[in-house]
Amino acid sequence: GGVIILALLSNLIAKKFILRGLRAVALKTRSRWDDVLVERQVFDRLSHLAPALVVYVAAPFLLGQGDDQAAVDYLRRVANVWMILAGARTLNALLDALVIIGLDKESTRTKPVRSYAQVAQLLVWVSAGILAVAVLMQKSPAVLLTGLGAMTAVLLLVFRDTILGFIASLRIEANEMLRVGDWVEMPKYGADGDV
């Protein structure tokens, strides 16, 4: 009960005082990037780390030592998973904000910024899932990754065309092989016209 009360109190402090202060500062500045961070709730999601940190730190003091060591370990593992998921949500929101900020610039409007961000978000969530399961099972993430090897091979076969399309778009973009206004003609597919 004491751990829950402290966690709720830290969440209340983080949301009511710290987040309000950050929002006020962001609204007063002239730059747009901080407004986008507030709009995409990056700081709001970051504030969810406060209760998890309180649970992690306060668990040994409130539950005591000795017989309750198993409960302390379990509560700390849950807090670690909470921090991993809160960090993943924060990174997800930050990547969304970076896409919006990037699309405001003239130099990045023609680049597939959103596709890159989606791949990065997928990697963040896969990594967070692997880390969360590893923490709960008290195993090394390397053990889980070796177990996922066979499943990865199957996924590569299933999503082969999607992966090849993504790699092709990266090569086209990196080498600037195609630009807006270029004439493209592919008689085999009936494609003929401007990009």
PDB file of all heavy atoms in Angstrom, residues 144-182:
ATOM      1  N   LEU A 144      17.109 -15.120 -25.449  1.00  0.00           N
ATOM      2  CA  LEU A 144      15.850 -14.951 -26.186  1.00  0.00           C
ATOM      3  C   LEU A 144      16.108 -14.722 -27.669  1.00  0.00           C
ATOM      4  O   LEU A 144      15.359 -15.207 -28.518  1.00  0.00           O
ATOM      5  CB  LEU A 144      15.055 -13.779 -25.605  1.00  0.00           C
ATOM      6  CG  LEU A 144      14.523 -13.975 -24.195  1.00  0.00           C
ATOM      7  CD1 LEU A 144      13.889 -12.699 -23.689  1.00  0.00           C
ATOM      8  CD2 LEU A 144      13.512 -15.101 -24.168  1.00  0.00           C
ATOM      9  N   LEU A 145      17.158 -13.979 -27.979  1.00  0.00           N
ATOM     10  CA  LEU A 145      17.462 -13.702 -29.383  1.00  0.00           C
ATOM     11  C   LEU A 145      17.853 -14.966 -30.139  1.00  0.00           C
ATOM     12  O   LEU A 145      17.489 -15.125 -31.304  1.00  0.00           O
ATOM     13  CB  LEU A 145      18.563 -12.654 -29.489  1.00  0.00           C
ATOM     14  CG  LEU A 145      18.143 -11.233 -29.125  1.00  0.00           C
ATOM     15  CD1 LEU A 145      19.346 -10.304 -29.146  1.00  0.00           C
ATOM     16  CD2 LEU A 145      17.078 -10.724 -30.073  1.00  0.00           C
ATOM     17  N   THR A 146      18.566 -15.859 -29.491  1.00  0.00           N
ATOM     18  CA  THR A 146      18.915 -17.103 -30.177  1.00  0.00           C
ATOM     19  C   THR A 146      17.679 -17.953 -30.418  1.00  0.00           C
ATOM     20  O   THR A 146      17.577 -18.636 -31.433  1.00  0.00           O
ATOM     21  CB  THR A 146      19.951 -17.912 -29.369  1.00  0.00           C
ATOM     22  OG1 THR A 146      19.443 -18.139 -28.055  1.00  0.00           O
ATOM     23  CG2 THR A 146      21.271 -17.194 -29.294  1.00  0.00           C
ATOM     24  N   GLY A 147      16.738 -17.907 -29.485  1.00  0.00           N
ATOM     25  CA  GLY A 147      15.481 -18.633 -29.678  1.00  0.00           C
ATOM     26  C   GLY A 147      14.630 -18.039 -30.782  1.00  0.00           C
ATOM     27  O   GLY A 147      13.826 -18.735 -31.411  1.00  0.00           O
ATOM     28  N   LEU A 148      14.799 -16.751 -31.029  1.00  0.00           N
ATOM     29  CA  LEU A 148      14.022 -16.086 -32.080  1.00  0.00           C
ATOM     30  C   LEU A 148      14.639 -16.263 -33.464  1.00  0.00           C
ATOM     31  O   LEU A 148      14.061 -15.826 -34.457  1.00  0.00           O
ATOM     32  CB  LEU A 148      13.902 -14.593 -31.773  1.00  0.00           C
ATOM     33  CG  LEU A 148      13.042 -14.227 -30.571  1.00  0.00           C
ATOM     34  CD1 LEU A 148      13.143 -12.731 -30.293  1.00  0.00           C
ATOM     35  CD2 LEU A 148      11.604 -14.604 -30.811  1.00  0.00           C
ATOM     36  N   GLY A 149      15.811 -16.891 -33.541  1.00  0.00           N
ATOM     37  CA  GLY A 149      16.502 -17.054 -34.825  1.00  0.00           C
ATOM     38  C   GLY A 149      15.672 -17.789 -35.859  1.00  0.00           C
ATOM     39  O   GLY A 149      15.561 -17.358 -37.012  1.00  0.00           O
ATOM     40  N   ALA A 150      15.095 -18.912 -35.476  1.00  0.00           N
ATOM     41  CA  ALA A 150      14.283 -19.692 -36.419  1.00  0.00           C
ATOM     42  C   ALA A 150      13.030 -18.923 -36.825  1.00  0.00           C
ATOM     43  O   ALA A 150      12.626 -18.937 -37.998  1.00  0.00           O
ATOM     44  CB  ALA A 150      13.902 -21.026 -35.798  1.00  0.00           C
ATOM     45  N   MET A 151      12.427 -18.239 -35.867  1.00  0.00           N
ATOM     46  CA  MET A 151      11.229 -17.468 -36.184  1.00  0.00           C
ATOM     47  C   MET A 151      11.565 -16.309 -37.127  1.00  0.00           C
ATOM     48  O   MET A 151      10.782 -15.966 -38.007  1.00  0.00           O
ATOM     49  CB  MET A 151      10.595 -16.926 -34.902  1.00  0.00           C
ATOM     50  CG  MET A 151       9.225 -16.319 -35.134  1.00  0.00           C
ATOM     51  SD  MET A 151       8.412 -15.856 -33.619  1.00  0.00           S
ATOM     52  CE  MET A 151       9.248 -14.348 -33.227  1.00  0.00           C
ATOM     53  N   THR A 152      12.739 -15.729 -36.964  1.00  0.00           N
ATOM     54  CA  THR A 152      13.168 -14.646 -37.852  1.00  0.00           C
ATOM     55  C   THR A 152      13.320 -15.137 -39.282  1.00  0.00           C
ATOM     56  O   THR A 152      12.950 -14.443 -40.229  1.00  0.00           O
ATOM     57  CB  THR A 152      14.503 -14.056 -37.345  1.00  0.00           C
ATOM     58  OG1 THR A 152      14.322 -13.626 -36.008  1.00  0.00           O
ATOM     59  CG2 THR A 152      14.938 -12.885 -38.189  1.00  0.00           C
ATOM     60  N   ALA A 153      13.850 -16.336 -39.440  1.00  0.00           N
ATOM     61  CA  ALA A 153      13.992 -16.898 -40.780  1.00  0.00           C
ATOM     62  C   ALA A 153      12.631 -17.066 -41.451  1.00  0.00           C
ATOM     63  O   ALA A 153      12.461 -16.751 -42.639  1.00  0.00           O
ATOM     64  CB  ALA A 153      14.714 -18.239 -40.710  1.00  0.00           C
ATOM     65  N   VAL A 154      11.651 -17.514 -40.695  1.00  0.00           N
ATOM     66  CA  VAL A 154      10.300 -17.665 -41.246  1.00  0.00           C
ATOM     67  C   VAL A 154       9.718 -16.300 -41.599  1.00  0.00           C
ATOM     68  O   VAL A 154       9.113 -16.115 -42.665  1.00  0.00           O
ATOM     69  CB  VAL A 154       9.392 -18.413 -40.244  1.00  0.00           C
ATOM     70  CG1 VAL A 154       7.948 -18.411 -40.698  1.00  0.00           C
ATOM     71  CG2 VAL A 154       9.885 -19.843 -40.051  1.00  0.00           C
ATOM     72  N   LEU A 155       9.910 -15.319 -40.715  1.00  0.00           N
ATOM     73  CA  LEU A 155       9.395 -13.977 -40.989  1.00  0.00           C
ATOM     74  C   LEU A 155      10.053 -13.361 -42.221  1.00  0.00           C
ATOM     75  O   LEU A 155       9.400 -12.651 -42.997  1.00  0.00           O
ATOM     76  CB  LEU A 155       9.599 -13.069 -39.777  1.00  0.00           C
ATOM     77  CG  LEU A 155       8.678 -13.327 -38.590  1.00  0.00           C
ATOM     78  CD1 LEU A 155       9.070 -12.459 -37.411  1.00  0.00           C
ATOM     79  CD2 LEU A 155       7.236 -13.092 -38.969  1.00  0.00           C
ATOM     80  N   LEU A 156      11.339 -13.618 -42.404  1.00  0.00           N
ATOM     81  CA  LEU A 156      12.022 -13.105 -43.594  1.00  0.00           C
ATOM     82  C   LEU A 156      11.438 -13.702 -44.869  1.00  0.00           C
ATOM     83  O   LEU A 156      11.338 -13.021 -45.888  1.00  0.00           O
ATOM     84  CB  LEU A 156      13.527 -13.391 -43.509  1.00  0.00           C
ATOM     85  CG  LEU A 156      14.314 -12.516 -42.544  1.00  0.00           C
ATOM     86  CD1 LEU A 156      15.759 -12.986 -42.461  1.00  0.00           C
ATOM     87  CD2 LEU A 156      14.264 -11.067 -42.964  1.00  0.00           C
ATOM     88  N   LEU A 157      11.063 -14.962 -44.807  1.00  0.00           N
ATOM     89  CA  LEU A 157      10.438 -15.577 -45.977  1.00  0.00           C
ATOM     90  C   LEU A 157       9.047 -15.001 -46.238  1.00  0.00           C
ATOM     91  O   LEU A 157       8.668 -14.757 -47.378  1.00  0.00           O
ATOM     92  CB  LEU A 157      10.345 -17.095 -45.797  1.00  0.00           C
ATOM     93  CG  LEU A 157      11.665 -17.852 -45.908  1.00  0.00           C
ATOM     94  CD1 LEU A 157      11.459 -19.308 -45.547  1.00  0.00           C
ATOM     95  CD2 LEU A 157      12.231 -17.718 -47.310  1.00  0.00           C
ATOM     96  N   VAL A 158       8.299 -14.771 -45.173  1.00  0.00           N
ATOM     97  CA  VAL A 158       6.931 -14.265 -45.333  1.00  0.00           C
ATOM     98  C   VAL A 158       6.933 -12.818 -45.813  1.00  0.00           C
ATOM     99  O   VAL A 158       6.183 -12.447 -46.715  1.00  0.00           O
ATOM    100  CB  VAL A 158       6.155 -14.403 -43.996  1.00  0.00           C
ATOM    101  CG1 VAL A 158       4.824 -13.699 -44.076  1.00  0.00           C
ATOM    102  CG2 VAL A 158       5.963 -15.865 -43.646  1.00  0.00           C
ATOM    103  N   PHE A 159       7.814 -11.981 -45.234  1.00  0.00           N
ATOM    104  CA  PHE A 159       7.823 -10.557 -45.563  1.00  0.00           C
ATOM    105  C   PHE A 159       8.956 -10.190 -46.521  1.00  0.00           C
ATOM    106  O   PHE A 159       9.454  -9.073 -46.502  1.00  0.00           O
ATOM    107  CB  PHE A 159       7.937  -9.716 -44.282  1.00  0.00           C
ATOM    108  CG  PHE A 159       6.748  -9.848 -43.381  1.00  0.00           C
ATOM    109  CD1 PHE A 159       6.854 -10.515 -42.175  1.00  0.00           C
ATOM    110  CD2 PHE A 159       5.532  -9.312 -43.747  1.00  0.00           C
ATOM    111  CE1 PHE A 159       5.750 -10.649 -41.350  1.00  0.00           C
ATOM    112  CE2 PHE A 159       4.424  -9.430 -42.921  1.00  0.00           C
ATOM    113  CZ  PHE A 159       4.537 -10.103 -41.725  1.00  0.00           C
ATOM    114  N   ARG A 160       9.345 -11.124 -47.363  1.00  0.00           N
ATOM    115  CA  ARG A 160      10.463 -10.913 -48.280  1.00  0.00           C
ATOM    116  C   ARG A 160      10.232  -9.721 -49.197  1.00  0.00           C
ATOM    117  O   ARG A 160      11.096  -8.860 -49.349  1.00  0.00           O
ATOM    118  CB  ARG A 160      10.696 -12.175 -49.099  1.00  0.00           C
ATOM    119  CG  ARG A 160      11.904 -12.124 -49.981  1.00  0.00           C
ATOM    120  CD  ARG A 160      12.071 -13.455 -50.695  1.00  0.00           C
ATOM    121  NE  ARG A 160      11.078 -13.648 -51.721  1.00  0.00           N
ATOM    122  CZ  ARG A 160      11.268 -13.351 -53.003  1.00  0.00           C
ATOM    123  NH1 ARG A 160      12.412 -12.877 -53.399  1.00  0.00           N
ATOM    124  NH2 ARG A 160      10.320 -13.549 -53.880  1.00  0.00           N
ATOM    125  N   ASP A 161       9.052  -9.637 -49.804  1.00  0.00           N
ATOM    126  CA  ASP A 161       8.773  -8.548 -50.738  1.00  0.00           C
ATOM    127  C   ASP A 161       8.756  -7.190 -50.033  1.00  0.00           C
ATOM    128  O   ASP A 161       9.245  -6.198 -50.566  1.00  0.00           O
ATOM    129  CB  ASP A 161       7.440  -8.782 -51.453  1.00  0.00           C
ATOM    130  CG  ASP A 161       7.494  -9.972 -52.394  1.00  0.00           C
ATOM    131  OD1 ASP A 161       8.615 -10.319 -52.837  1.00  0.00           O
ATOM    132  OD2 ASP A 161       6.432 -10.548 -52.673  1.00  0.00           O
ATOM    133  N   THR A 162       8.208  -7.151 -48.838  1.00  0.00           N
ATOM    134  CA  THR A 162       8.168  -5.895 -48.082  1.00  0.00           C
ATOM    135  C   THR A 162       9.581  -5.436 -47.737  1.00  0.00           C
ATOM    136  O   THR A 162       9.920  -4.256 -47.882  1.00  0.00           O
ATOM    137  CB  THR A 162       7.357  -6.087 -46.784  1.00  0.00           C
ATOM    138  OG1 THR A 162       6.075  -6.595 -47.127  1.00  0.00           O
ATOM    139  CG2 THR A 162       7.221  -4.792 -46.032  1.00  0.00           C
ATOM    140  N   ILE A 163      10.410  -6.366 -47.296  1.00  0.00           N
ATOM    141  CA  ILE A 163      11.787  -6.019 -46.928  1.00  0.00           C
ATOM    142  C   ILE A 163      12.571  -5.578 -48.155  1.00  0.00           C
ATOM    143  O   ILE A 163      13.304  -4.580 -48.113  1.00  0.00           O
ATOM    144  CB  ILE A 163      12.465  -7.215 -46.231  1.00  0.00           C
ATOM    145  CG1 ILE A 163      11.785  -7.473 -44.889  1.00  0.00           C
ATOM    146  CG2 ILE A 163      13.950  -6.963 -46.028  1.00  0.00           C
ATOM    147  CD1 ILE A 163      12.173  -8.777 -44.237  1.00  0.00           C
ATOM    148  N   LEU A 164      12.406  -6.297 -49.272  1.00  0.00           N
ATOM    149  CA  LEU A 164      13.099  -5.916 -50.501  1.00  0.00           C
ATOM    150  C   LEU A 164      12.652  -4.544 -50.996  1.00  0.00           C
ATOM    151  O   LEU A 164      13.454  -3.747 -51.480  1.00  0.00           O
ATOM    152  CB  LEU A 164      12.893  -6.979 -51.585  1.00  0.00           C
ATOM    153  CG  LEU A 164      13.635  -8.294 -51.375  1.00  0.00           C
ATOM    154  CD1 LEU A 164      13.241  -9.300 -52.446  1.00  0.00           C
ATOM    155  CD2 LEU A 164      15.133  -8.078 -51.372  1.00  0.00           C
ATOM    156  N   GLY A 165      11.355  -4.258 -50.882  1.00  0.00           N
ATOM    157  CA  GLY A 165      10.849  -2.936 -51.268  1.00  0.00           C
ATOM    158  C   GLY A 165      11.428  -1.833 -50.412  1.00  0.00           C
ATOM    159  O   GLY A 165      11.778  -0.752 -50.904  1.00  0.00           O
ATOM    160  N   PHE A 166      11.561  -2.099 -49.114  1.00  0.00           N
ATOM    161  CA  PHE A 166      12.139  -1.102 -48.217  1.00  0.00           C
ATOM    162  C   PHE A 166      13.609  -0.858 -48.550  1.00  0.00           C
ATOM    163  O   PHE A 166      14.063   0.283 -48.611  1.00  0.00           O
ATOM    164  CB  PHE A 166      11.985  -1.557 -46.762  1.00  0.00           C
ATOM    165  CG  PHE A 166      12.642  -0.639 -45.782  1.00  0.00           C
ATOM    166  CD1 PHE A 166      12.120   0.629 -45.555  1.00  0.00           C
ATOM    167  CD2 PHE A 166      13.783  -1.020 -45.104  1.00  0.00           C
ATOM    168  CE1 PHE A 166      12.727   1.497 -44.665  1.00  0.00           C
ATOM    169  CE2 PHE A 166      14.398  -0.170 -44.212  1.00  0.00           C
ATOM    170  CZ  PHE A 166      13.861   1.088 -43.986  1.00  0.00           C
ATOM    171  N   ILE A 167      14.354  -1.928 -48.788  1.00  0.00           N
ATOM    172  CA  ILE A 167      15.779  -1.788 -49.141  1.00  0.00           C
ATOM    173  C   ILE A 167      15.920  -1.045 -50.464  1.00  0.00           C
ATOM    174  O   ILE A 167      16.806  -0.187 -50.627  1.00  0.00           O
ATOM    175  CB  ILE A 167      16.456  -3.180 -49.216  1.00  0.00           C
ATOM    176  CG1 ILE A 167      16.401  -3.880 -47.868  1.00  0.00           C
ATOM    177  CG2 ILE A 167      17.894  -3.061 -49.699  1.00  0.00           C
ATOM    178  CD1 ILE A 167      17.126  -3.184 -46.753  1.00  0.00           C
ATOM    179  N   ALA A 168      15.039  -1.345 -51.428  1.00  0.00           N
ATOM    180  CA  ALA A 168      15.093  -0.647 -52.715  1.00  0.00           C
ATOM    181  C   ALA A 168      14.825   0.842 -52.539  1.00  0.00           C
ATOM    182  O   ALA A 168      15.494   1.679 -53.157  1.00  0.00           O
ATOM    183  CB  ALA A 168      14.079  -1.261 -53.684  1.00  0.00           C
ATOM    184  N   SER A 169      13.854   1.188 -51.677  1.00  0.00           N
ATOM    185  CA  SER A 169      13.573   2.612 -51.451  1.00  0.00           C
ATOM    186  C   SER A 169      14.753   3.311 -50.792  1.00  0.00           C
ATOM    187  O   SER A 169      15.035   4.469 -51.091  1.00  0.00           O
ATOM    188  CB  SER A 169      12.307   2.779 -50.615  1.00  0.00           C
ATOM    189  OG  SER A 169      12.537   2.394 -49.280  1.00  0.00           O
ATOM    190  N   LEU A 170      15.464   2.600 -49.900  1.00  0.00           N
ATOM    191  CA  LEU A 170      16.651   3.185 -49.286  1.00  0.00           C
ATOM    192  C   LEU A 170      17.737   3.449 -50.328  1.00  0.00           C
ATOM    193  O   LEU A 170      18.376   4.507 -50.323  1.00  0.00           O
ATOM    194  CB  LEU A 170      17.206   2.258 -48.201  1.00  0.00           C
ATOM    195  CG  LEU A 170      16.423   2.166 -46.898  1.00  0.00           C
ATOM    196  CD1 LEU A 170      17.086   1.162 -45.961  1.00  0.00           C
ATOM    197  CD2 LEU A 170      16.304   3.506 -46.223  1.00  0.00           C
ATOM    198  N   ARG A 171      17.941   2.490 -51.221  1.00  0.00           N
ATOM    199  CA  ARG A 171      18.966   2.675 -52.250  1.00  0.00           C
ATOM    200  C   ARG A 171      18.601   3.797 -53.214  1.00  0.00           C
ATOM    201  O   ARG A 171      19.449   4.593 -53.609  1.00  0.00           O
ATOM    202  CB  ARG A 171      19.161   1.378 -53.032  1.00  0.00           C
ATOM    203  CG  ARG A 171      19.948   0.366 -52.285  1.00  0.00           C
ATOM    204  CD  ARG A 171      20.311  -0.764 -53.188  1.00  0.00           C
ATOM    205  NE  ARG A 171      21.197  -1.684 -52.502  1.00  0.00           N
ATOM    206  CZ  ARG A 171      21.582  -2.826 -52.993  1.00  0.00           C
ATOM    207  NH1 ARG A 171      21.167  -3.206 -54.187  1.00  0.00           N
ATOM    208  NH2 ARG A 171      22.390  -3.599 -52.314  1.00  0.00           N
ATOM    209  N   ILE A 172      17.351   3.851 -53.615  1.00  0.00           N
ATOM    210  CA  ILE A 172      16.905   4.914 -54.527  1.00  0.00           C
ATOM    211  C   ILE A 172      17.099   6.279 -53.879  1.00  0.00           C
ATOM    212  O   ILE A 172      17.566   7.225 -54.510  1.00  0.00           O
ATOM    213  CB  ILE A 172      15.436   4.691 -54.948  1.00  0.00           C
ATOM    214  CG1 ILE A 172      15.355   3.497 -55.898  1.00  0.00           C
ATOM    215  CG2 ILE A 172      14.847   5.934 -55.594  1.00  0.00           C
ATOM    216  CD1 ILE A 172      13.935   3.058 -56.200  1.00  0.00           C
ATOM    217  N   GLU A 173      16.753   6.363 -52.586  1.00  0.00           N
ATOM    218  CA  GLU A 173      16.871   7.637 -51.875  1.00  0.00           C
ATOM    219  C   GLU A 173      18.330   8.004 -51.644  1.00  0.00           C
ATOM    220  O   GLU A 173      18.727   9.153 -51.829  1.00  0.00           O
ATOM    221  CB  GLU A 173      16.137   7.549 -50.530  1.00  0.00           C
ATOM    222  CG  GLU A 173      16.169   8.816 -49.738  1.00  0.00           C
ATOM    223  CD  GLU A 173      15.527   9.981 -50.459  1.00  0.00           C
ATOM    224  OE1 GLU A 173      14.543   9.783 -51.159  1.00  0.00           O
ATOM    225  OE2 GLU A 173      16.041  11.110 -50.311  1.00  0.00           O
ATOM    226  N   ALA A 174      19.155   7.033 -51.264  1.00  0.00           N
ATOM    227  CA  ALA A 174      20.556   7.324 -50.961  1.00  0.00           C
ATOM    228  C   ALA A 174      21.329   7.742 -52.210  1.00  0.00           C
ATOM    229  O   ALA A 174      22.172   8.638 -52.161  1.00  0.00           O
ATOM    230  CB  ALA A 174      21.221   6.111 -50.322  1.00  0.00           C
ATOM    231  N   ASN A 175      21.049   7.127 -53.327  1.00  0.00           N
ATOM    232  CA  ASN A 175      21.760   7.430 -54.570  1.00  0.00           C
ATOM    233  C   ASN A 175      21.071   8.498 -55.413  1.00  0.00           C
ATOM    234  O   ASN A 175      21.551   8.819 -56.502  1.00  0.00           O
ATOM    235  CB  ASN A 175      21.936   6.153 -55.407  1.00  0.00           C
ATOM    236  CG  ASN A 175      22.760   5.119 -54.697  1.00  0.00           C
ATOM    237  OD1 ASN A 175      23.640   5.455 -53.915  1.00  0.00           O
ATOM    238  ND2 ASN A 175      22.477   3.853 -54.943  1.00  0.00           N
ATOM    239  N   GLU A 176      19.944   8.991 -54.932  1.00  0.00           N
ATOM    240  CA  GLU A 176      19.146  10.003 -55.652  1.00  0.00           C
ATOM    241  C   GLU A 176      18.936   9.592 -57.106  1.00  0.00           C
ATOM    242  O   GLU A 176      19.154  10.359 -58.041  1.00  0.00           O
ATOM    243  CB  GLU A 176      19.815  11.374 -55.559  1.00  0.00           C
ATOM    244  CG  GLU A 176      19.830  11.923 -54.150  1.00  0.00           C
ATOM    245  CD  GLU A 176      20.365  13.338 -54.079  1.00  0.00           C
ATOM    246  OE1 GLU A 176      20.659  13.932 -55.135  1.00  0.00           O
ATOM    247  OE2 GLU A 176      20.474  13.859 -52.974  1.00  0.00           O
ATOM    248  N   MET A 177      18.478   8.363 -57.271  1.00  0.00           N
ATOM    249  CA  MET A 177      18.249   7.825 -58.613  1.00  0.00           C
ATOM    250  C   MET A 177      16.960   8.351 -59.233  1.00  0.00           C
ATOM    251  O   MET A 177      16.796   8.296 -60.447  1.00  0.00           O
ATOM    252  CB  MET A 177      18.196   6.293 -58.549  1.00  0.00           C
ATOM    253  CG  MET A 177      19.500   5.673 -58.088  1.00  0.00           C
ATOM    254  SD  MET A 177      19.351   3.938 -57.646  1.00  0.00           S
ATOM    255  CE  MET A 177      18.967   3.189 -59.194  1.00  0.00           C
ATOM    256  N   LEU A 178      16.056   8.841 -58.406  1.00  0.00           N
ATOM    257  CA  LEU A 178      14.755   9.282 -58.897  1.00  0.00           C
ATOM    258  C   LEU A 178      14.362  10.549 -58.151  1.00  0.00           C
ATOM    259  O   LEU A 178      14.479  10.611 -56.929  1.00  0.00           O
ATOM    260  CB  LEU A 178      13.728   8.178 -58.628  1.00  0.00           C
ATOM    261  CG  LEU A 178      12.431   8.194 -59.394  1.00  0.00           C
ATOM    262  CD1 LEU A 178      12.679   8.065 -60.884  1.00  0.00           C
ATOM    263  CD2 LEU A 178      11.545   7.068 -58.931  1.00  0.00           C
ATOM    264  N   ARG A 179      13.914  11.553 -58.900  1.00  0.00           N
ATOM    265  CA  ARG A 179      13.509  12.821 -58.291  1.00  0.00           C
ATOM    266  C   ARG A 179      12.151  13.237 -58.825  1.00  0.00           C
ATOM    267  O   ARG A 179      11.712  12.753 -59.866  1.00  0.00           O
ATOM    268  CB  ARG A 179      14.525  13.913 -58.609  1.00  0.00           C
ATOM    269  CG  ARG A 179      15.871  13.682 -57.989  1.00  0.00           C
ATOM    270  CD  ARG A 179      16.808  14.790 -58.317  1.00  0.00           C
ATOM    271  NE  ARG A 179      18.111  14.522 -57.752  1.00  0.00           N
ATOM    272  CZ  ARG A 179      19.192  15.143 -58.097  1.00  0.00           C
ATOM    273  NH1 ARG A 179      19.156  16.088 -59.010  1.00  0.00           N
ATOM    274  NH2 ARG A 179      20.343  14.844 -57.535  1.00  0.00           N
ATOM    275  N   VAL A 180      11.524  14.145 -58.123  1.00  0.00           N
ATOM    276  CA  VAL A 180      10.249  14.685 -58.575  1.00  0.00           C
ATOM    277  C   VAL A 180      10.487  15.438 -59.878  1.00  0.00           C
ATOM    278  O   VAL A 180      11.390  16.267 -59.985  1.00  0.00           O
ATOM    279  CB  VAL A 180       9.626  15.609 -57.503  1.00  0.00           C
ATOM    280  CG1 VAL A 180       8.362  16.256 -58.029  1.00  0.00           C
ATOM    281  CG2 VAL A 180       9.342  14.833 -56.237  1.00  0.00           C
ATOM    282  N   GLY A 181       9.676  15.120 -60.877  1.00  0.00           N
ATOM    283  CA  GLY A 181       9.806  15.754 -62.191  1.00  0.00           C
ATOM    284  C   GLY A 181      10.494  14.871 -63.219  1.00  0.00           C
ATOM    285  O   GLY A 181      10.470  15.171 -64.411  1.00  0.00           O
ATOM    286  N   ASP A 182      11.109  13.755 -62.790  1.00  0.00           N
ATOM    287  CA  ASP A 182      11.744  12.837 -63.732  1.00  0.00           C
ATOM    288  C   ASP A 182      10.687  12.091 -64.546  1.00  0.00           C
ATOM    289  O   ASP A 182       9.570  11.855 -64.085  1.00  0.00           O
ATOM    290  CB  ASP A 182      12.616  11.816 -62.984  1.00  0.00           C
ATOM    291  CG  ASP A 182      13.900  12.414 -62.443  1.00  0.00           C
ATOM    292  OD1 ASP A 182      14.199  13.564 -62.809  1.00  0.00           O
ATOM    293  OD2 ASP A 182      14.578  11.734 -61.664  1.00  0.00           O
TER     294      ASP A 182
END
